[in-house]
Amino acid sequence: MINLETPKKQAALIDQAHQLAMNMLRPISRKYDRAEHEYPKELDMLAALIDGVSETGATGGAGAGGVRRDEKPDKDPGKVRNGANLASVLSVAEMCWGDTALLLSMPRQGLGNSAIASVANEEQLERYQGTWAAMAITEPGIGSDSANLTTTAVKDGDEYVINGEKIYVTSGDRADSVVVWATLDKELGRAAIKSFLVRKDNPGLKVERLEHKLGIRASDTAAITFTGCRVPAEDLLGSPEIDTKSGFAGAMATFDNTRPLVAAMAIGCARASLDLTRDLLEQAGVTIDYDRPAERQSAAAAKFLQLEADWEGAKLLMMQAAWMADNRRPNSLEASMAKAKAGRVGSDVTLSCVQLCGTLGYSEGELLEKWSRDSKILDIFEGTQQIQQLIVARRILGLTSSELK
């Protein structure tokens, strides 16, 4: 039976993540928002601290690195586990309470690391340990439908030759490797899509440009081309076999892993906005009373209570998706529900907090306007709001992608 209270055994980890966010990320948040594309050097020390915590054997981590479903049978099949997935989303939410863009800039905590955790075999997991991996999926002209990607990987002896272009690659310039999604055979459609670990110094890989963005400006977002880029066959993640029966399932396992993490980012950013807005409202004489119905309070207090209720619902969906992964239950539906709800709530909450705080919310004197800019991307990447709703509808109705487009 799922219990959506924060597990006691993870309380220390979550508190540590909050302290790091408050004392290390929040103080430099505005600095690196203004200095777009400048690498936050302070993160090197923070990454070293997180590595130290991991070496002590603490559960989970405080970054955005992926977590892996344990495929080993449990000695007690009826046992309920609160494992690495739940620890990761809760700690990521705390770190994003500090700053989402800085969390996305953490060394060795890239979204590509989540892809590795999802589909790499045991030998690859060991070999790639310590790498900082970006994830390259999106291409010009294909929108949100990753199944239509055109980047190709052609087998040539003991190597694959990759050709194509990827855009909006988070940490695409700073990371030391890139997880590239490519098709082995366009005619076989989704089933032929595989992911490859490509090192940044590999000939044929070129970072073409860095994007200037509305939010998460401390995080570098790159366009990358692959021209005759040769990759050892052993760097194809997981199995090289094309299974037309499983279709896109192997690739989608990555999203089942990363979507709860992105939901956690939205939860953390929205929580930061709510906390600051409550303080600013109280300073202005607006008291939020949790013992009285919303309709018996001021309009500002009633709106704040509604925002908190929406936030709570999004958080619980996020925790459910992560808990299901920890307990080896299929969570594709729940991962998309969490991402859809948290993405929308994140934008609604942060923009509403700007509105509630008026000129203080709109000015750079507070971080509310920054959080409203940062949160929008969390409703877009890893699958837009519309794509998530489409996936949820297919799952609930039992329809395929060809039957419901």
Side-chain angles (χ1 to χ4, degrees):
M1 178 69 67
I2 185 171
N3 183 345
L4 290 175
E5 294 294 328
T6 301
K8 291 181 179 179
K9 71 175 184 177
Q10 295 170 358
L13 170 70
I14 295 167
D15 180 66
Q16 180 191 56
H18 185 79
Q19 294 302 318
L20 290 173
M22 179 171 60
N23 297 314
M24 298 190 71
L25 299 187
R26 187 72 70 85
I28 60 174
S29 181
R30 181 67 74 183
K31 171 185 175 182
Y32 286 106
D33 180 60
R34 290 172 173 162
E36 187 174 16
H37 300 156
E38 180 181 334
Y39 176 67
K41 296 179 181 179
E42 293 88 343
L43 294 183
D44 289 333
M45 180 173 64
L46 182 53
L49 285 173
I50 292 174
D51 288 344
V53 171
S54 299
E55 289 173 3
T56 66
T59 302
V67 287
R68 186 174 179 83
R69 293 171 188 261
D70 185 1
E71 297 178 357
K72 297 178 182 178
D74 201 313
K75 294 180 180 179
D76 181 3
K79 181 180 179 181
V80 173
R81 299 185 299 177
N82 295 317
N85 284 277
L86 192 57
S88 287
V89 295
L90 291 172
S91 58
V92 162
E94 291 299 334
M95 296 290 278
C96 288
W97 181 90
D99 190 272
T100 304
L102 293 174
L103 183 279
L104 286 168
S105 301
M106 286 284 295
R108 300 182 302 286
Q109 303 287 333
L111 291 172
N113 292 92
S114 292
I116 293 171
S118 298
V119 297
N121 59 41
E122 295 299 327
E123 183 275 330
Q124 289 173 331
L125 283 175
E126 184 175 352
R127 180 152 47 91
Y128 300 146
Q129 191 171 9
T131 191
W132 179 5
M135 186 155 67
I137 302 175
T138 306
E139 298 179 359
I142 70 167
S144 294
D145 191 353
S146 301
N148 286 331
L149 59 83
T150 60
T151 297
T152 58
V154 178
K155 187 75 178 293
D156 183 15
D158 293 332
E159 297 177 317
Y160 284 92
V161 181
I162 299 179
N163 286 282
E165 179 182 1
K166 298 293 184 179
I167 56 176
Y168 300 119
V169 181
T170 301
S171 300
D173 186 45
R174 297 170 186 163
D176 50 46
S177 59
V178 183
V179 173
V180 182
W181 288 33
T183 179
L184 303 184
D185 188 337
K186 289 184 180 180
E187 294 183 359
L188 292 179
R190 294 167 175 253
I193 294 175
K194 299 290 181 179
S195 50
F196 299 80
L197 194 287
V198 184
R199 289 161 181 79
K200 290 290 292 298
D201 59 359
N202 194 314
L205 183 156
K206 182 181 179 183
V207 176
E208 297 289 346
R209 67 180 183 276
L210 297 179
E211 305 291 352
H212 295 280
K213 309 183 297 295
L214 172 71
I216 59 166
R217 292 164 60 87
S219 171
D220 67 303
T221 305
I224 302 176
T225 55
F226 302 87
T227 307
C229 184
R230 289 185 169 271
V231 180
E234 63 187 14
D235 286 334
L236 183 154
L237 298 180
S239 172
E241 301 300 321
I242 298 175
D243 186 353
T244 54
K245 292 183 180 179
S246 65
F248 205 38
M252 290 305 295
T254 298
F255 286 136
D256 295 344
N257 197 347
T258 57
R259 281 170 177 161
L261 288 171
V262 175
M265 296 175 197
I267 292 300
C269 188
R271 183 73 257 172
S273 294
L274 288 169
D275 289 347
L276 178 55
T277 298
R278 183 195 295 105
D279 291 343
L280 293 174
L281 288 176
E282 289 179 352
Q283 292 173 25
V286 177
T287 301
I288 297 154
D289 188 345
Y290 291 93
D291 294 325
R292 283 196 299 154
E295 63 269 17
R296 294 178 56 191
Q297 301 188 52
S298 67
K303 177 64 175 178
F304 186 88
L305 289 170
Q306 176 251 310
L307 293 175
E308 277 205 323
D310 283 347
W311 177 87
E312 186 72 24
K315 180 186 178 184
L316 293 177
L317 282 171
M318 171 202 77
M319 293 179 68
Q320 180 187 31
W323 181 90
M324 291 179 72
D326 281 336
N327 288 274
R328 297 198 299 278
R329 300 185 184 183
N331 74 333
S332 294
L333 171 63
E334 290 76 13
S336 286
M337 290 173 67
K339 169 65 169 63
K341 175 70 172 178
R344 185 180 71 248
V345 165
S347 289
D348 288 348
V349 165
T350 53
L351 280 172
S352 295
C353 286
V354 169
Q355 181 79 17
L356 283 172
C357 295
T359 54
L360 281 177
Y362 196 71
S363 73
E364 289 190 354
E366 300 289 352
L367 287 168
L368 287 172
E369 59 82 26
K370 178 187 181 300
W371 293 331
S372 70
R373 289 186 285 110
D374 288 347
S375 66
K376 186 56 196 173
I377 191 58
L378 304 176
D379 196 24
I380 297 175
F381 70 7
E382 298 299 295
T384 64
Q385 178 72 210
Q386 293 75 19
I387 289 295
Q388 303 308 322
Q389 291 178 1
L390 187 58
I391 293 171
V392 170
R394 288 171 183 162
R395 296 283 181 177
I396 291 175
L397 298 174
L399 300 175
T400 66
S401 58
S402 61
E403 291 171 329
L404 182 60
K405 297 182 179 180

